[in-house]
């Protein structure tokens, strides 16, 4: 299986690795800084550079049975099992994903309703909430409130709890339709500040809310009787 370096340090931009498999799903490495599509966050893009200088552009990253597959652009040079490569992220894109993902956590902490869906994009994202009509926030007021909270520059921390601890504390899970991965014995938790947010998440985030910058709530949409989609975008 691929060693997931991004789990402990989302700021790693590159790493040395060895190709362990090549197939239709992509190029699997023994270790990587590339985040695979999951939890609403897109897979990373970037490049793999072999020791002889041959470079392969990676357009997507996905979880596969034997690890993490780096999807090469069509017509890219072929790599072979055993090749040593330098895996390098498209860092600017990844960092925007990190800022948006953290901003969505902050927003989630301020909305009283279960999360029914979500998606992270390049500079924007959204969460869907199960909300009664009277609990739907006003767009401008929510924007102002979130920016004030973000500007405090709350630190973000990563910790782990056991599967049993999460099972005993079901309120830690905000998502109604998707449960955090369990079965490995422990679950990765994200904490923002002192009581801002604390919930399981496997994605990549910034180190503190100040790195998010200013955001705007661009649209609040009705997606059913009680389902409301709240769209967010980075402003700077």
């Amino acid at each position: 299986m691929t060693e997931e370096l991004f789990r402990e340090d989302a700021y790693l931009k590159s790493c040395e690795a060895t190709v362990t498999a090549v197939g239709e799903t992509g190029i699997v490495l023994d270790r990587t800084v590339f985040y695979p599509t999951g939890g609403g966050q897109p897979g990373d893009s970037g490049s793999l550079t072999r020791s002889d200088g041959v470079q392969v552009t990676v357009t997507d990253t996905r979880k596969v049975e034997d690890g993490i597959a780096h999807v090469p652009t069509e017509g890219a040079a072929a790599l072979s099992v055993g090749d040593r490569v330098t895996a390098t992220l498209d860092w600017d894109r990844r960092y925007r994903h990190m800022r948006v993902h953290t901003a969505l956590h902050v927003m989630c902490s301020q909305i009283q309703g279960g999360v029914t869906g979500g998606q992270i994009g390049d500079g924007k994202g959204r969460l869907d909430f199960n909300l009664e009509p009277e609990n739907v926030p006003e767009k401008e007021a929510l924007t102002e409130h979130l920016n004030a909270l973000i500007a405090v520059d709350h630190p973000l921390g990563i910790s782990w709890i056991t599967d049993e601890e999460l099972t005993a504390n079901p309120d830690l899970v905000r998502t109604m339709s998707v449960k955090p991965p369990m079965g490995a014995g422990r679950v990765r938790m994200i904490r923002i500040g002192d009581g801002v947010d604390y919930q399981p998440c496997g994605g990549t985030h910034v180190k503190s809310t100040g790195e998010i910058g200013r955001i705007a709530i661009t649209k609040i949409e009705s997606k059913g009787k009680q389902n409301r989609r709240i769209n967010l975008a980075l402003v700077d």
Side-chain angles (χ1 to χ4, degrees):
M1 298 300 291
T2 305
E3 182 183 359
E4 301 175 346
L5 301 178
F6 54 84
R7 297 289 184 200
E8 297 295 340
D9 187 355
Y11 286 78
L12 290 174
K13 300 177 179 66
S14 66
C15 70
E16 302 300 312
T18 300
V19 177
T20 58
V22 178
E24 293 182 0
T25 57
I27 301 161
V28 180
L29 306 178
D30 65 338
R31 60 205 303 262
T32 189
V33 294
F34 282 62
Y35 179 86
T37 300
Q41 181 171 331
D44 283 327
S45 55
S47 64
L48 304 178
T49 304
R50 201 165 60 191
S51 54
D52 61 0
V54 170
Q55 188 175 87
V56 173
T57 298
V58 175
T59 59
D60 194 9
T61 311
R62 303 170 187 167
K63 275 273 193 183
V64 293
E65 187 175 348
D66 53 352
I68 293 177
H70 305 71
V71 182
T73 187
E74 188 174 350
L79 295 180
S80 302
V81 173
D83 283 349
R84 290 288 294 169
V85 298
T86 300
T88 305
L89 289 176
D90 177 345
W91 172 249
D92 290 343
R93 177 175 178 265
R94 153 68 89 75
Y95 189 55
R96 288 190 292 272
H97 289 165
M98 291 164 59
R99 293 169 62 199
V100 169
H101 199 159
T102 309
L104 291 176
H105 272 252
V106 175
M107 181 172 75
C108 178
S109 74
Q110 302 302 300
I111 306 294
Q112 298 304 310
V115 177
T116 59
Q119 188 171 25
I120 297 159
D122 191 348
K124 61 183 180 179
R126 53 93 171 167
L127 287 176
D128 297 345
F129 294 93
N130 183 30
L131 292 176
E132 296 287 349
E134 62 269 20
N135 293 330
V136 178
E138 192 273 329
K139 186 172 68 172
E140 285 72 22
L142 183 58
T143 294
E144 182 178 351
H145 177 68
L146 293 180
N147 278 321
L149 192 56
I150 287 167
V152 174
D153 200 21
H154 295 282
L156 185 142
I158 297 172
S159 60
W160 300 82
I161 62 174
T162 65
D163 289 357
E164 291 75 20
E165 287 174 311
L166 184 60
T167 300
N169 295 275
D171 289 345
L172 292 176
V173 181
R174 290 292 307 276
T175 52
M176 298 174 66
S177 57
V178 179
K179 300 301 181 185
M182 298 174 66
R186 63 176 192 162
V187 179
R188 185 174 183 261
M189 302 295 295
I190 299 297
R191 183 187 299 277
I192 299 178
D194 184 12
V196 176
D197 189 45
Y198 181 61
Q199 61 176 297
C201 183
T204 60
H205 302 82
V206 293
K207 292 178 180 177
S208 65
T209 60
E211 290 187 49
I212 296 169
R214 288 188 59 80
I215 61 91
I217 301 301
T218 56
K219 187 186 296 185
I220 298 179
E221 307 172 87
S222 176
K223 292 294 181 180
K225 185 176 180 181
Q226 292 178 284
N227 203 47
R228 296 296 184 271
R229 175 167 295 173
I230 303 181
N231 297 272
L232 173 153
L234 301 178
V235 174
D236 53 30

